[in-house]
Amino acid sequence: MQISRRFLHTTRLLHAVAPEFRENFQLPAQYDYRQWFPMHMSVQLKKMEAKLRSVDLVIEVHDARIPVTGRNEQFFRHLYAIRPHILVLNKCDLIDMKKYKQKIEDYYYDMGIEKVLFTDCKKRLPRALNDVKTSMLHALESSKRFNRTVKTEYQSMVVGIPNVGKSSLINAIRTHTLGIKRKAVEAGARPGVTVRVQNRVRIMDKPPIYIIDTPGVLSPNSRNVSDAMKLALCDLVLESHVNLYYLADFLLFSLNRTEDFTYLKLLGIEEMRKEPSDDIQEILALTCAANDYRINASMGERWDFDRAAKYFIQLYRNSKFHDSCLDQDFFLYRN
C-alpha cells in the first residue's frame, strides 16, 4: 500500500493546465543510436551492386508511415540511379490515404521519380497488386536493357530498409500472378529476417520475370535523432537496439506536437490526468497505476515502467491514434 499512497500524493500535485510542450526532442548525450547499422548491411549492399549487371528493374519498398524519412540514399547512388526504378510505399492501410496520397505522390514526382505505388501486402488487395504488376511490365518493356538484349526473361531486384515488407511484396505478387500460395521467400514481423541477397524467384510467366529478394539496409550516415526514433517507432530496427523509455518519450513528444491527446483515454489515465502531459515518467507511472503494471522485486513492489512503455508503443504500431504518419509535419505546408 506504500506505493499507492505515494501515487495518490503525486496525482494531487498535478497541474490543472496543459504544460508548454517541447519544441525539439533530445536524447542523452551518452545514448548512441548510430550503432543500429550492422556491418553485414554494408557487405550485402556491395553484393546487391554486383547483381546489377543482370538486373533490369529495381523496386524500392518503404513504409508509408514515414514516406520521406529513413530512405537509404545509398540505394540511389549505387543501385537505381542506373536502372529503372519503382517506389512502393507499403503498409498504406496504416495512414490516412485521403489526406496523404496526393501530397506524397506530388513530392516524389517533383523529385523525378516516375512511379509511386501504395500497397498493403497483408490484405493483398488485387487492385494494388495489379498496379504493381502493370507498372513493372511498363518499366521493363519501355527501358533499354543494356547488355541483356539477347535475354528473353527479365530480372528485377527489391530493395529497402529492414521490415518494410520486401519479402511480403514478393510473395503477394507471386500469389497474385501465378496463383501459388506457398511462400517463395521467408517474411517476418521483425527486422532482419532476410540477412543476405537471395536466389531469384519467378513471379510471372508471360513474359518470364524473376525477382531477387535482398536484406534491409539502413543508411549508415543518419545523424538525425528524430529520424532514428521514427524508424524505431515503426519497428524498422531491432528492438534489442532500442531503449523503450526513450522511444515512448518520442511518441509522447510526437503526439503532443500534433495535438493528439487521445493517449489519455487509450492508456486509461484520463480520470487521473485531465490534461495532456509532456513528462513521460509521469505518463508511464499513471499507466502503471491504471493497468496495475507491477513488479515484485527483492526490494519490494514497484511499477513496471517497461511494460507501460511497450503498451504505449504498441498502441501506435496497432494504429490506434488519429494519425500514424510520422512525416505529417513535412507535408503540413505543402499545397
Side-chain angles (χ1 to χ4, degrees), residues 125-145:
L125 298 176
R127 181 176 178 179
L129 293 173
N130 196 58
D131 286 344
V132 175
K133 173 186 173 181
T134 302
S135 298
M136 288 181 64
L137 288 171
H138 179 267
L140 289 168
E141 294 174 349
S142 62
S143 303
K144 293 182 179 180
R145 302 194 66 195

Side-chain angles (χ1 to χ4, degrees), residues 272-292:
M272 305 173 186
R273 174 82 198 192
K274 300 296 184 182
E275 300 292 339
S277 171
D278 206 27
D279 184 344
I280 188 59
Q281 188 168 0
E282 176 187 13
I283 292 296
L284 294 181
L286 290 167
T287 301
C288 287
N291 297 277
D292 198 29

Side-chain angles (χ1 to χ4, degrees), residues 150-188:
V150 297
K151 294 283 188 179
T152 58
E153 64 187 37
Y154 293 98
Q155 187 154 274
S156 55
M157 176 188 289
V158 61
V159 302
I161 63 176
N163 209 30
V164 290
K166 299 182 294 296
S167 300
S168 296
L169 179 64
I170 292 174
N171 290 326
I173 294 175
R174 185 168 178 259
T175 299
H176 178 71
T177 57
L178 299 179
I180 302 173
K181 295 183 178 180
R182 179 175 55 84
K183 290 182 180 179
V185 290
E186 189 62 32

Side-chain angles (χ1 to χ4, degrees), residues 92 119-131 176:
C92 67
T119 61
D120 170 19
C121 291
K122 283 190 175 180
K123 293 182 180 178
R124 299 188 175 187
L125 298 176
R127 181 176 178 179
L129 293 173
N130 196 58
D131 286 344
H176 178 71

Side-chain angles (χ1 to χ4, degrees), residues 87-331:
L87 174 61
V88 177
L89 294 172
N90 194 28
K91 308 179 184 181
C92 67
D93 58 309
L94 301 180
I95 66 169
D96 185 343
M97 288 288 283
K98 292 182 180 179
K99 183 177 180 181
Y100 291 110
K101 183 177 185 292
Q102 190 65 54
K103 292 182 179 180
I104 294 170
E105 289 177 339
D106 291 345
Y107 169 76
Y108 279 119
Y109 292 148
D110 288 346
M111 287 180 60
I113 291 180
E114 295 184 1
K115 197 64 181 178
V116 180
L117 300 170
F118 295 83
T119 61
D120 170 19
C121 291
K122 283 190 175 180
K123 293 182 180 178
R124 299 188 175 187
L125 298 176
R127 181 176 178 179
L129 293 173
N130 196 58
D131 286 344
V132 175
K133 173 186 173 181
T134 302
S135 298
M136 288 181 64
L137 288 171
H138 179 267
L140 289 168
E141 294 174 349
S142 62
S143 303
K144 293 182 179 180
R145 302 194 66 195
F146 306 96
N147 62 334
R148 290 174 45 75
T149 54
V150 297
K151 294 283 188 179
T152 58
E153 64 187 37
Y154 293 98
Q155 187 154 274
S156 55
M157 176 188 289
V158 61
V159 302
I161 63 176
N163 209 30
V164 290
K166 299 182 294 296
S167 300
S168 296
L169 179 64
I170 292 174
N171 290 326
I173 294 175
R174 185 168 178 259
T175 299
H176 178 71
T177 57
L178 299 179
I180 302 173
K181 295 183 178 180
R182 179 175 55 84
K183 290 182 180 179
V185 290
E186 189 62 32
R190 69 185 190 282
V193 172
T194 304
V195 296
R196 61 182 63 85
V197 177
Q198 303 290 307
N199 294 327
R200 65 182 193 164
V201 174
R202 192 180 184 99
I203 60 168
M204 211 175 302
D205 283 334
K206 296 181 180 180
I209 299 177
Y210 294 83
I211 197 165
I212 301 171
D213 194 14
T214 64
V217 178
L218 292 167
S219 174
N221 300 318
S222 176
R223 296 293 183 269
N224 185 299
V225 172
S226 179
D227 288 359
M229 289 292 105
K230 289 178 183 180
L231 290 170
L233 196 53
C234 290
D235 200 18
L236 305 181
V237 295
L238 286 173
E239 191 169 282
S240 58
H241 294 170
V242 182
N243 185 304
L244 294 177
Y245 180 87
Y246 298 143
L247 191 54
D249 192 24
F250 178 77
L251 176 56
L252 179 65
F253 165 78
S254 300
L255 292 170
N256 285 335
R257 273 180 59 84
T258 57
E259 298 183 351
D260 184 353
F261 306 131
T262 55
Y263 60 84
L264 296 171
K265 180 178 181 180
L266 291 168
L267 293 172
I269 63 176
E270 60 181 346
E271 294 299 321
M272 305 173 186
R273 174 82 198 192
K274 300 296 184 182
E275 300 292 339
S277 171
D278 206 27
D279 184 344
I280 188 59
Q281 188 168 0
E282 176 187 13
I283 292 296
L284 294 181
L286 290 167
T287 301
C288 287
N291 297 277
D292 198 29
Y293 292 161
R294 303 170 185 265
I295 294 177
N296 293 315
S298 57
M299 300 294 292
E301 206 173 49
R302 61 183 176 85
W303 295 133
D304 191 345
F305 274 54
D306 283 350
R307 187 177 177 186
K310 286 182 180 180
Y311 179 56
F312 189 23
I313 294 165
Q314 201 58 45
L315 287 174
Y316 168 78
R317 292 176 179 170
N318 290 338
S319 197
K320 297 298 183 182
F321 297 109
H322 289 321
D323 195 336
S324 294
C325 181
L326 296 177
D327 284 340
Q328 54 184 284
D329 280 357
F330 184 86
F331 296 104

